[in-house]
Amino acid sequence: MQDDHFEYSMEELRSLTKTANGEVAVVLTQKRERPHPATYIGKGKVEELHTLVEEVEPELIIFNDELSPSQLRNLASILDVRIIDRTQLILDIFAQRAKSKEGKLQVELAQLQYLLPRLMGQGISLSRQGGGIGTRGPGETQLETDRRHIRNRINEIKQQLSSVVRHRHRYRERRKKNQAFQIALVGYTNAGKSTIFNRLTTAGSFEEDLLFATLDPMTRKVVLPSSYQALLTDTVGFIQDLPTTLVAAFRSTLEEVKEADLILHIVDSSNEDYANHEKTVYKLLEQLEITDIPILTVYNKKDLTPSSFVPSPTEDYVAISAFSDEDVERLMVRVEQLAKEVMNYYTVHIPVSEGRLISQMKTETLIQSFSFNEEQEVYKVEGYVLPTHSINGQLDKHNGEGK
């Protein structure tokens, strides 16, 4: 199983390289009990790699793990070629993908925190000449290797981010006041979150078969089968061994998930490593202290799922293909059922004169049935409402009236 996991991880590194616009020329692997403290790979492997570098003349060597500052320095002094590790590669992709001011600041912060301990010697050059993978960011002014300068920049970014976080918090509070049922999409990178988001909201979120296609969170209205409007948020994809600096940097973005009433965990069931992908997502949700929000697992890409696929036994799940209208409808019906479970049921009789209240009920509560009693000139309405919604007080007044 470990060998399988290693293969999946190497395959993922290939995908990451492709996403960063790189091309894999050759792959070199080694089986060791533990990494070599000085060079990560063994002495013989370093010599083999040196020979390969002379033959293939690559622009870059990428290691499928995070290298320590000393390992990076030692390897750079032996091999006359740029070396980056998995963390740098992921940071580079994030630098490419960040579109919003917050996203860019978060990536720059993570890059600088990664670079700081690696500035000694020849381990890493901050020069951006030549471009290419691992050289994007962090910012045009950030070319010198002066620790103090970098620390000042880190403090600056942290201050800017804290004001962005305050703004986001105010926006979330406003949304809370508007009392909408909130759904968050989470999942391993490339599981199909943005495709599902677009199918449910017709929002045009960036959709491509690349890792980390979505970096900045996006929230849109989604209409459930009963015509009730909920809010749906797409989030950044999770990945195994996501650099800790990035988890910390994107914490405020992922805080969106904390506000959700329901989490849709999107899993690519066609990926052979889906079980590990699920574990990775749960581990990250735990790190974010998200443990008490209901989760519905959505196994996506069912048309490509191998016969060996077995859903996780503990999961409440639906299997869909994001491109099937029927499947998307089925998913929405299931989401509505789960919404009802966290809402309060009501049945009320509203006089015709209460037009404003009726209008509010139609937009802000999930209406199950709506009929007019001509004799009594009242509307009988049955439905569901969020327990914290301010409309509850008015509904209580009309509870059972006109029966």
Side-chain angles (χ1 to χ4, degrees), residues 124-180:
I124 275 187
S125 162
L126 281 185
S127 165
R128 299 191 28 171
Q129 288 161 8
I133 296 173
T135 59
R136 275 175 280 259
E140 291 300 332
T141 59
Q142 214 49 52
L143 303 178
E144 56 202 282
T145 57
D146 175 4
R147 284 174 183 270
R148 193 180 67 244
H149 190 85
I150 288 185
R151 284 203 184 99
N152 289 344
R153 180 66 187 139
I154 285 174
N155 288 334
E156 233 175 79
I157 294 171
K158 281 182 174 172
Q159 279 170 0
Q160 286 185 52
L161 275 174
S162 69
S163 80
V164 173
V165 169
R166 279 197 300 276
H167 173 75
R168 186 187 282 284
H169 182 69
R170 280 198 301 274
Y171 175 64
R172 273 206 299 263
E173 286 299 306
R174 201 163 65 239
R175 273 214 321 246
K176 251 185 178 166
K177 275 183 189 149
N178 293 344
Q179 295 289 332

Side-chain angles (χ1 to χ4, degrees), residues 142 274 278:
Q142 214 49 52
Y274 72 91
E278 285 186 51

Side-chain angles (χ1 to χ4, degrees), residues 22 25 29-30 57 101 103 111 116 126 137-138 155 160 202 205 240 243 251 265-266 287 343 348 366:
T29 62
Q30 179 179 36
E57 296 183 350
K101 185 187 175 189
Q111 284 180 314
L116 198 55
L126 281 185
N155 288 334
Q160 286 185 52
T202 62
S205 173
Q240 290 176 100
R251 204 177 179 91
H265 174 194
I266 315 297
Q287 280 180 3
M343 290 173 153
V348 289
L366 196 159

